[in-house]
Amino acid sequence: VQELQGQLLELQGQAPGLQGQALEPQGKALELQVQALELQALDLQEQALELQALGLQEQALGLQGQVLDLQEQGLELQAQVQELQGQALELELALALRVQALALRVQTLEPQVQALALQVQAQEQEVQAQVMKLPAFAVLVERGKRESAMAADVAQAPRTS
């Protein structure tokens, strides 16, 4: 019995060492698991960053497409502006030519207008001369002169109160 108890004590003394040896592979296994998890986490982070980078690249490409569209629209608007400027110049030139033509027409009509004005003046003088020859008109003119003279005398006469 004592011998068995001695062997038991000996085995109990060896047990912590054996337990330590048994725990050592478990610790290494846990350490390897931690390293594997860390590697997986790093891989996942790397994949996430790559996906973010791809997303940002897609957004950048989309924005570049919008910029190109806007540039194209700007070029189209510039072409339209140039076309409108060309039309405006054509209209301005046509208007200037029309104004010159009208100015020349006025210059050619001006002597005719002056001649007509002189004819009208001559006819007015002739009509006045013929009216003055009429006896009734001469009487009216004389009466008007007399009434004007009497009104002037009355206006100059002293007033009494």
Side-chain angles (χ1 to χ4, degrees), residues 20-106:
Q21 287 177 358
L23 288 175
E24 195 174 298
Q26 286 180 346
K28 286 185 180 181
L30 286 174
E31 192 177 306
L32 289 174
Q33 282 180 340
V34 167
Q35 288 177 355
L37 289 174
E38 287 176 351
L39 287 174
Q40 283 180 342
L42 287 174
D43 282 346
L44 289 175
Q45 284 179 341
E46 190 177 309
Q47 288 176 3
L49 289 174
E50 286 175 0
L51 289 175
Q52 283 180 339
L54 287 175
L56 292 175
Q57 284 177 345
E58 286 178 11
Q59 286 179 352
L61 289 175
L63 291 175
Q64 284 177 342
Q66 289 176 355
V67 166
L68 290 175
D69 289 345
L70 290 174
Q71 287 175 341
E72 185 178 333
Q73 289 175 1
L75 291 175
E76 289 173 2
L77 289 175
Q78 283 179 343
Q80 289 176 358
V81 165
Q82 287 176 348
E83 184 179 335
L84 290 173
Q85 286 174 339
Q87 290 175 358
L89 286 174
E90 289 174 8
L91 290 174
E92 190 176 330
L93 180 60
L95 182 61
L97 291 174
R98 182 73 178 139
V99 166
Q100 285 180 348
L102 288 173
L104 287 173
R105 181 74 177 138
V106 166

